[in-house]
Amino acid sequence: MGTMIDFVAAGQGFQGYRSEPQGQARGAVLVIHEIWGLNPHTRDIADRFAAAGYLAVAPDLMGLAGLDAVLLAELGERRADPAARAEVQPLIREATAPMNSPEMAARTKAGVAAVFDYLNATSEGMDRTAVVGFCFGGTYAFSLAAAEPRLAAAVPFYGHANYSPEDLASISCPILAFYGANDTALMDALPELTAKMHQAHVDFRPTVFPEAGHAFFNDTNATVYREGPALAAWSMTLEFLEQELIRP
C-alpha cells in the first residue's frame, strides 16, 4: 500500500501516490494516469511497478489540467456501459475541453516536471527514472521525453505525439510505444510519427496489437480491456525498463 505525497507546480498544490518496492530499488517510474484521473486502477499500476522493484509515483494532474476529477470519474463509469456510450461521449468532450488550453497544458507539463525532478533527486531514481503513461498520460509521457534530457526511458500507451522535427530531435531517451490496431486516429498518425522519429534519430519502438483498440490495458473496463495484449505489453515494459534503468 502506498502513501500520498504533496507537490507544487505553477503555484498550485497537487498530490501523488508513492509506492515503494521491497528491498533495494531498481530505478524509478513516473506513472501518468488516463483522463479519468488518479483512480484505483492507476494506483494499482504504481503498485505493480513497486512489486517489480521500482519506486513509483503516480501524480494526480486533474486540477492542474483544469479538469473535474469527480465528473470525469462518473462519466468514465457511465461510458463503460455500451448502451450509454453515445449519450456520454459529448459530455466527456465538454468536460475535457480545458485540456485544449495552452495554459492548462503548460500547467500539466509543469506538474509532470515537478514529479520527475522529485524522482530524479532520490537515490532510487537518480539518472534512472522512466515515465509510463496511458492515453492522456501517454501524451504527457511523449511530452516529457521531448522536454527532459535526463529522462532515462519513456513508455507511452496510446498517446498522441504531434511534434515538429526540432522537438523530436531533443529526445534523448528510448521510447517504447504501444497501440491498438483498432485505435483509428492514432493508427492513422503512426506512420508519419514513425518516419519523423527515424529522421530525428530517436530510438522509437512502436508496437501495434492487431486485436486491440484504445485503452486495451485498462483491466477495470471490460469493454476495452484485452488480456493478451495487456499482458504482453506489461512484460515488454518490464523488460525494457530492466534494459534501460538497471545499473550493473
Side-chain angles (χ1 to χ4, degrees), residues 131-155:
V131 62
V132 180
F134 303 84
C135 185
F136 166 92
T139 298
Y140 281 98
F142 274 120
S143 175
L144 184 62
E148 180 50 72
R150 297 171 296 169
L151 186 66
V155 186

Side-chain angles (χ1 to χ4, degrees), residues 92-113:
I92 293 174
R93 283 196 295 270
E94 180 181 356
T96 57
M99 287 173 49
N100 299 321
S101 160
E103 177 187 356
M104 292 304 175
R107 295 172 68 87
T108 307
K109 290 177 184 178
V112 172

Side-chain angles (χ1 to χ4, degrees), residues 3-193:
T3 57
M4 298 301 293
I5 55 177
D6 295 322
F7 295 97
V8 176
Q12 182 173 336
F14 65 104
Q15 289 192 307
Y17 177 80
R18 174 182 165 125
S19 191
E20 299 185 20
Q22 295 284 339
Q24 186 173 359
R26 316 173 89 191
V29 182
L30 196 173
V31 181
I32 310 181
H33 56 68
E34 295 178 301
I35 197 61
W36 318 117
L38 182 59
N39 54 21
H41 172 62
T42 305
R43 293 189 186 93
D44 178 63
I45 292 172
D47 288 339
R48 293 183 216 178
F49 279 118
Y54 299 94
L55 170 63
V57 172
D60 182 354
L61 301 170
M62 299 295 275
L64 290 172
L67 302 175
D68 185 330
V70 174
L71 173 60
L72 277 166
E74 292 174 353
L75 292 175
E77 290 180 3
R78 289 174 60 189
R79 185 175 180 270
D81 178 4
R85 190 166 303 155
E87 175 188 351
V88 171
Q89 201 60 38
L91 300 177
I92 293 174
R93 283 196 295 270
E94 180 181 356
T96 57
M99 287 173 49
N100 299 321
S101 160
E103 177 187 356
M104 292 304 175
R107 295 172 68 87
T108 307
K109 290 177 184 178
V112 172
V115 179
F116 173 82
D117 287 341
Y118 168 84
L119 285 170
N120 197 59
T122 64
S123 59
E124 298 93 338
M126 186 174 294
D127 298 324
R128 52 177 186 161
T129 293
V131 62
V132 180
F134 303 84
C135 185
F136 166 92
T139 298
Y140 281 98
F142 274 120
S143 175
L144 184 62
E148 180 50 72
R150 297 171 296 169
L151 186 66
V155 186
F157 281 71
Y158 25 86
H160 291 270
N162 184 18
Y163 296 102
S164 69
E166 292 75 20
D167 290 331
L168 294 179
S170 67
I171 297 175
S172 57
C173 71
I175 300 176
L176 176 66
F178 294 113
Y179 302 90
N182 299 325
D183 196 350
T184 305
L186 289 179
M187 289 306 301
D188 288 347
L190 184 57
E192 182 181 359
L193 175 62

